[in-house]
Amino acid sequence: MEKTLNRIHPVSDPEATYFLQVSWEKDLGTGFGLLLSDCQRAWTGTVSESDISREAADIEMDREKYVEELRKALIAGEESAGRYNFVISRDEQNKACHFSYERNLKDGSFRLGSLKLQEVPNPAEVIKELIGYCLDSMGKLQAKTEHLQRENERLFSNWSDVEKRLEKCVEAKEDLEADLYSRFVLVLNEKKAKIRNLQKLLSEAKESAVDAKCARDSVATTQMVVKRENNYDASTDEESENPARASLPSALERRDSSLLGSPDIVDPAPRRKRRQRTAKPTGPGAKVANYEAEQPAQENGNSWIRQEDRKYPHLPEALQKLN
């Protein structure tokens, strides 16, 4: 059986002090017993499970919620002080005591329940029982306090050990960080030197590439200039040949046209024959003289032809094509 003991002050007499003990088996909803005492007299009573159901129905409240309200009013004690009121009224002979408990609201209060308590014939035993319960509860609380104190000391000792270990870990961490930082600085400097070397090599490679490109461009430019000069020379040669070739047909055309446009030429052959017949010399001396007279003229004709061939090198080929 579980029990609780609380100190209450009735609304009718706030200066008076009563002690209320509540006992139950498994759950407060299955019924409970009340013991009320002012340290001189004592009253006792019980509330059954049916009474609890009836009271919950009378105030139109769910039974579980009603049981929770009873727990807060009768068991919570100081935790629910000011939210619940207790009304105690006794008869003239103090044989019976009417006890009720209420819930405070903003605009008033409503009664949770009430019952009639009967006076205990031997209140000293009841008071002795209450004092024994208080001592037992105090002993349990003292043992629990000592247990909690030892647990607190153990936790404090563990906390101290953990704090020392943590300090060592912090020191080790700082040493490790310093070591890693020093190593990192070395690696970083090496990487920086390597990066500088690579940048230097890259710049040199870029410069060599630029020089090579300039050289290729200059070579290409030179080749282009040479090619242009060769093309120019070839074009000038063709132009020099083409006017000669072009002038030859034109000269021939002019010669043909002049020949065609000139008056008819009388064949001098008969006249020459007549002269020869009329003035033909006789004897070998005359033949030699005629041969010597014709030889210079032939040489003069050949020299003129050679000069014309040098002036117009393609003239013989053109004449052969025309023939």
Side-chain angles (χ1 to χ4, degrees):
M1 180 179 287
E2 298 183 13
K3 295 180 180 181
T4 59
L5 182 63
N6 296 318
R7 181 171 51 190
I8 62 174
H9 302 280
V11 177
S12 59
D13 189 6
E15 298 296 330
T17 301
Y18 288 84
F19 295 94
L20 177 64
Q21 185 183 53
V22 181
S23 59
W24 67 94
E25 290 292 338
K26 295 180 180 180
D27 186 14
L28 196 65
T30 59
F32 56 91
L34 294 176
L35 179 61
L36 184 64
S37 175
D38 60 356
C39 296
Q40 294 179 0
R41 287 173 295 273
W43 298 268
T44 184
T46 58
V47 178
S48 63
E49 185 176 359
S50 59
D51 294 336
I52 294 173
S53 300
R54 179 174 52 79
E55 292 288 347
D58 290 343
I59 61 176
E60 297 180 355
M61 184 182 292
D62 185 68
R63 190 175 186 280
E64 294 181 357
K65 187 175 181 180
Y66 178 74
V67 172
E68 183 66 21
E69 290 291 336
L70 290 179
R71 188 189 67 78
K72 293 178 180 179
L74 302 175
I75 298 175
E78 298 294 335
E79 297 178 2
S80 60
R83 292 186 294 176
Y84 297 93
N85 295 330
F86 301 97
V87 179
I88 299 174
S89 60
R90 295 183 292 181
D91 57 6
E92 296 179 357
Q93 292 82 16
N94 293 325
K95 296 295 183 181
C97 176
H98 186 76
F99 179 73
S100 62
Y101 32 92
E102 301 174 351
R103 169 69 187 273
N104 287 331
L105 299 175
K106 293 181 179 180
D107 299 334
S109 61
F110 68 93
R111 190 181 66 178
L112 291 174
S114 63
L115 72 157
K116 188 176 182 180
L117 303 177
Q118 299 296 326
E119 186 180 8
V120 177
N122 190 2
E125 293 293 333
V126 175
I127 294 171
K128 182 180 178 180
E129 182 181 353
L130 294 176
I131 294 172
Y133 174 78
C134 291
L135 293 174
D136 293 340
S137 298
M138 188 168 51
K140 291 179 182 179
L141 292 175
Q142 185 67 28
K144 187 176 181 179
T145 303
E146 292 177 357
H147 174 71
L148 293 175
Q149 186 68 26
R150 290 192 298 269
E151 187 69 18
N152 190 20
E153 291 176 357
R154 184 183 65 80
L155 293 175
F156 183 77
S157 177
N158 293 337
W159 178 77
S160 299
D161 295 338
V162 170
E163 186 178 10
K164 292 179 181 179
R165 293 179 182 178
L166 184 61
E167 291 177 356
K168 292 181 180 180
C169 291
V170 171
E171 294 177 357
K173 173 179 169 293
E174 292 177 354
D175 296 338
L176 182 61
E177 286 180 352
D179 186 21
L180 291 176
Y181 181 75
S182 61
R183 294 183 181 180
F184 174 75
V185 170
L186 295 176
V187 174
L188 182 62
N189 293 331
E190 292 179 358
K191 293 296 183 182
K192 287 182 178 179
K194 188 174 181 179
I195 290 171
R196 285 194 293 269
N197 293 330
L198 292 175
Q199 288 178 350
K200 184 178 179 181
L201 293 176
L202 181 61
S203 62
E204 292 177 356
K206 287 182 179 179
E207 291 177 358
S208 62
V210 171
D211 295 339
K213 184 178 180 182
C214 293
R216 288 195 301 270
D217 293 340
S218 63
V219 170
T221 304
T222 305
Q223 293 177 354
M224 187 179 296
V225 170
V226 172
K227 185 176 181 180
R228 288 180 180 177
E229 291 178 355
N230 294 332
N231 293 332
Y232 179 75
D233 294 339
S235 62
T236 52
D237 293 339
E238 291 178 358
E239 289 176 356
S240 62
E241 292 177 358
N242 290 331
R245 294 177 181 177
S247 61
L248 180 61
S250 61
L252 294 176
E253 289 176 359
R254 287 194 301 269
R255 182 179 178 183
D256 295 337
S257 61
S258 61
L259 291 174
L260 292 174
S262 60
D264 295 337
I265 299 174
V266 179
D267 190 5
R271 190 178 299 175
R272 188 181 299 116
K273 292 179 178 180
R274 286 193 300 269
R275 284 195 303 266
Q276 290 178 357
R277 284 193 302 265
T278 57
K280 184 175 181 182
T282 60
K287 294 180 179 180
V288 171
N290 291 330
Y291 176 75
E292 290 178 353
E294 292 175 359
Q295 192 68 29
Q298 186 176 2
E299 290 178 357
N300 290 331
N302 293 330
S303 63
W304 180 82
I305 291 171
R306 284 195 297 272
Q307 289 179 1
E308 292 298 324
D309 290 337
R310 284 195 300 271
K311 186 181 295 185
Y312 303 103
H314 301 285
L315 183 60
E317 295 177 2
L319 292 176
Q320 291 179 1
K321 289 180 181 181
L322 290 175
N323 293 329

